[in-house]
Amino acid sequence: MVAAILRQVVGGEADPRGKNTLVAGFRRQIERALAEGRWRFADHFCDKVLVEDPRNLEIWLLKGHLAKHRFNDAATALTCYRQVLILGGFESSNVCVAQARTSLAQLLEQLA
């Protein structure tokens, strides 16, 4: 699952205004950290991306997956998945929203 999110994060379109060169650098750091299995480092750079782009669905989803699968932090995962749903307008046609909805349902089932 993390690999699929990584492909979305890394393969995302560049900002045509060039305002987020910094974000592109952070995304490269996330990609590198994930490839090396350095989960905390990846999460740290996710936070940096969200400071610059707080509406970034892919990064919120990635943070949720890291929290759930790598840190066993259900509360953070729930928060991140809910953030994706809210920012994505609950639109199931959006890939990130659909993945967040599925992951949220699975997590809630595990917690029940």
Side-chain angles (χ1 to χ4, degrees):
M1 182 59 76
V2 172
I5 300 303
L6 173 61
R7 283 192 295 276
Q8 286 181 345
V9 170
V10 175
E13 294 179 16
D15 183 359
R17 296 172 289 169
K19 86 170 181 114
N20 284 329
T21 303
L22 185 60
V23 170
F26 292 154
R27 286 176 179 247
R28 285 191 297 276
Q29 290 298 327
I30 292 168
E31 175 186 3
R32 181 176 173 194
L34 291 174
E36 295 172 357
R38 296 176 5 180
W39 315 122
R40 292 282 177 200
F41 192 72
D43 187 60
H44 170 75
F45 277 98
C46 285
D47 290 337
K48 290 195 170 282
V49 169
L50 291 172
V51 166
E52 299 297 321
D53 184 10
R55 299 186 59 83
N56 190 312
L57 298 180
E58 293 92 359
I59 298 298
W60 278 111
L61 186 59
L62 178 57
K63 273 191 68 69
H65 288 318
L66 286 170
K68 178 182 176 188
H69 298 287
R70 299 299 174 192
F71 308 140
N72 295 319
D73 183 353
T76 300
L78 287 170
T79 299
C80 292
Y81 293 145
R82 287 178 179 153
Q83 191 69 13
V84 173
L85 295 175
I86 292 166
L87 292 174
F90 298 91
E91 287 291 327
S92 293
S93 60
N94 182 307
V95 173
C96 290
V97 171
Q99 288 178 354
R101 183 171 285 149
T102 299
S103 296
L104 183 60
Q106 290 170 353
L107 184 57
L108 290 172
E109 185 176 309
Q110 288 174 357
L111 295 174

